[in-house]
Amino acid sequence: MQSRIARTAEELFVAKGFEETTVDEIAAAVGMSQRSFFRYFASKDEVVLDSLERLGLELAVRLEARPLDETEWDSLRHAFEPIVERLADPAMREHDAAVQKIVNASPRLFAAYLGRLDGLQRSLSETLMERAARRPGRAPDPVVLRAVVGGAFACLHAAMVEAVARPDEFGRSLDRTMAALRPAAVC
């Protein structure tokens, strides 16, 4: 039901605009009451931001599954694989572009998106800290690890900007960018 609400809401946002679409309209389009809508989402903002939340969880799971002896940088690149897979799928790519357009058009939603993105980076930094602490003889530096995560996200963003014009090149662009910016040392 949550996915159905999200899809319906996103269609309304694209057709009418985010600010112009009400929760009542979303609920009616799905065939439920406003009260039922709020059982699934706290607000219409949450409908849009939910996909980033789910993607963040998937990145965290992928990062945690990486081998402990792998560098943080390489682990982050592998953790980004779900994004590469999404952009390789034309339907997912079109959906994600529509959602990003909705986010970019609303200052309030864009600010919330940036807050969620920062939270995701903090979470991945904490995961890297925990992983580094499990390695013998390593005293991880949280400032450096946070910068590494920020750098990896900068590479991700740069590759995404290029992917607008050349979506089939996203994975190679991400690899090229991350190779060029590979840290000399981590921690």
Side-chain angles (χ1 to χ4, degrees):
M1 181 54 76
Q2 199 166 9
S3 294
R4 187 169 153 228
I5 295 169
R7 278 193 315 274
T8 302
E10 289 165 0
E11 289 170 8
L12 288 169
F13 296 153
V14 169
K16 292 184 63 175
F18 176 76
E19 301 296 341
E20 293 76 15
T21 304
T22 67
V23 170
D24 285 333
E25 290 170 320
I26 298 167
V30 177
M32 65 173 42
S33 68
Q34 182 188 66
R35 186 180 178 120
S36 294
F37 171 90
F38 287 120
R39 287 187 195 135
Y40 295 95
F41 293 101
S43 68
K44 68 179 185 176
D45 298 39
E46 292 299 316
V47 173
V48 176
L49 298 173
D50 182 64
S51 61
L52 179 61
E53 198 74 30
R54 282 184 277 123
L55 180 61
L57 292 173
E58 190 172 354
L59 297 181
V61 166
R62 294 269 183 126
L63 183 58
E64 185 59 42
R66 300 304 306 163
L68 280 177
D69 62 346
E70 185 173 64
T71 69
E72 287 83 359
W73 194 253
D74 290 333
S75 292
L76 286 165
R77 169 55 188 94
H78 289 290
F80 290 156
E81 199 57 34
I83 299 168
V84 175
E85 293 164 4
R86 288 180 72 88
L87 289 175
D89 179 333
M92 291 303 295
R93 186 171 55 236
E94 185 177 322
H95 171 266
D96 290 352
V99 170
Q100 193 62 50
K101 190 174 181 181
I102 292 164
V103 168
N104 292 345
S106 169
R108 182 182 83 233
L109 197 55
F110 187 69
Y113 169 81
L114 290 177
R116 294 279 176 101
L117 197 56
D118 182 63
L120 172 58
Q121 289 183 31
R122 287 177 192 273
S123 173
L124 295 179
S125 296
E126 290 168 9
T127 299
L128 288 177
M129 280 294 296
E130 291 166 8
R131 289 168 46 85
R134 291 195 307 250
R135 291 187 213 139
R138 284 208 59 191
D141 183 334
V143 175
V144 172
L145 282 179
R146 180 75 162 111
V148 167
V149 171
F153 270 81
C155 293
L156 182 65
H157 180 74
M160 283 182 160
V161 168
E162 183 177 324
V164 171
R166 298 172 34 198
D168 294 335
E169 293 292 314
F170 175 73
R172 286 186 288 280
S173 294
L174 179 59
D175 289 337
R176 188 174 71 248
T177 307
M178 289 191 77
L181 289 160
R182 175 179 289 284
V186 179
C187 293

